[in-house]
Amino acid sequence: MSEPSKHRNDIYGDIEKRETDTPAVPAATVALLRDRNGVAEVLMLKKNSKIAFGGLWVFPGGRIDANDFESPDDLEQAARNAAVRETLEEANITLEGNAFHWFAHWTPPASTPVRFATWFFLAYAASTSDEVQVDGGEIKEHAWITPAEALERHVREEIDLAPPTWVTLYHLSKYSPSAEAIAHFSKLTPRYYETHLAKSRSGTRIAMWEGDAGYVDFDADAQGDTHRLVMERSGFKFLHSAAAY
């Protein structure tokens, strides 16, 4: 895994922008798991530095296309179909739609330059994990890595991660082997994250979600329950006294 592109604190853009008339583009992404020596690993892809979110390490995924819809009103099925398609296109891995477990939906703040409202799925890819191929264009590199190691490399500023990816890795790091993670995530009611972004008095960017004491008023210094990601330069901290996981 190569050097990061130094997005760490600025991926969400102008922190003062709280509203937008431009809807987020529906998208889907998949955390693909396999086991190596009994330990769960997740597939990470590095985006080309010349495109949106360039240089970030992400899970396979992309926007939901018109052809992904089987019914005009069934966005969940379209997201699942997009997850299948993107897994094949970006990683050369073929899985059936019923292998994907939907566990979260993320909407970025209005300040994000390119906004994707993304369905997050989890899937087990053991039988094809050694057949990963990337196109060398949109995706420059790939790596199977334990979630804990990915978080440690982020702390060392060796890789860049968007907040939704970081939070997902944080949760995945608690479960191994893959069967344990799949069993846990498949039982969850999908959680919706609509991000509010603010800056603390110390200058640290804070991403907040429903339940956090500062969420409604975009107040990063509010005292009380927490459901937030503190994006310090030295590393991210996830505080969630208001949200059980």
Side-chain angles (χ1 to χ4, degrees):
M1 301 178 88
S2 58
E3 291 299 307
S5 58
K6 307 303 180 185
H7 279 288
R8 185 170 294 254
N9 288 321
D10 62 5
I11 184 175
Y12 283 149
D14 180 6
I15 202 164
E16 299 302 325
K17 186 177 181 181
R18 297 182 180 178
E19 297 182 1
T20 180
D21 293 328
T22 304
V25 176
T29 192
V30 187
L32 293 169
L33 297 179
R34 74 170 188 185
D35 293 310
R36 180 180 291 274
N37 298 323
V39 177
E41 296 180 327
V42 64
L43 178 63
M44 304 291 295
L45 309 177
K46 187 182 182 184
K47 303 279 279 188
N48 188 321
S49 62
K50 297 181 180 179
I51 64 176
F53 306 114
L56 289 172
W57 283 85
V58 300
F59 307 124
R63 69 179 63 216
I64 298 172
D65 292 341
N67 291 337
D68 294 321
F69 284 87
E70 297 178 11
S71 168
D73 299 323
D74 195 345
L75 184 54
E76 179 181 344
Q77 185 59 52
R80 198 173 294 277
N81 291 341
V84 172
R85 177 178 53 76
E86 290 286 347
T87 299
L88 176 59
E89 291 177 358
E90 293 197 339
N92 192 44
I93 291 178
T94 301
L95 293 172
E96 298 296 328
N98 58 11
F100 294 79
H101 304 279
W102 172 38
F103 65 91
H105 185 278
W106 287 80
T107 302
S111 58
T112 310
V114 181
R115 299 175 71 240
F116 292 97
T118 307
W119 301 64
F120 272 64
F121 295 92
L122 187 70
Y124 185 56
S127 62
T128 55
S129 65
D130 292 326
E131 301 172 12
V132 175
Q133 296 179 18
V134 297
D135 61 13
E138 179 180 349
I139 304 299
K140 301 301 290 184
E141 301 176 44
H142 79 277
W144 287 100
I145 185 171
T146 69
E149 182 182 353
L151 294 173
E152 290 167 2
R153 298 198 70 168
H154 181 257
V155 170
R156 297 196 299 266
E157 298 192 50
E158 296 174 0
I159 64 173
D160 267 336
L161 301 169
T165 308
W166 191 100
V167 171
T168 301
L169 289 167
Y170 171 88
H171 294 309
L172 286 175
S173 69
K174 300 179 182 297
Y175 303 97
S176 189
S178 297
E180 184 177 328
I182 295 291
H184 173 76
F185 280 83
S186 63
K187 293 186 296 185
L188 295 179
T189 299
R191 188 184 296 272
Y192 283 79
Y193 297 84
E194 186 165 346
T195 305
H196 285 187
L197 185 67
K199 186 179 290 186
S200 69
R201 281 190 290 269
S202 66
T204 300
R205 288 190 171 209
I206 311 289
M208 296 175 287
W209 301 288
E210 186 175 5
D212 189 278
Y215 179 76
V216 173
D217 296 324
F218 292 80
D219 183 0
D221 294 304
Q223 299 299 305
D225 289 336
T226 58
H227 192 197
R228 60 176 57 192
L229 188 66
V230 181
M231 294 183 281
E232 295 178 346
R233 188 71 200 179
S234 59
F236 292 177
K237 296 178 182 177
F238 186 49
L239 308 177
H240 53 88
S241 67
Y245 285 92

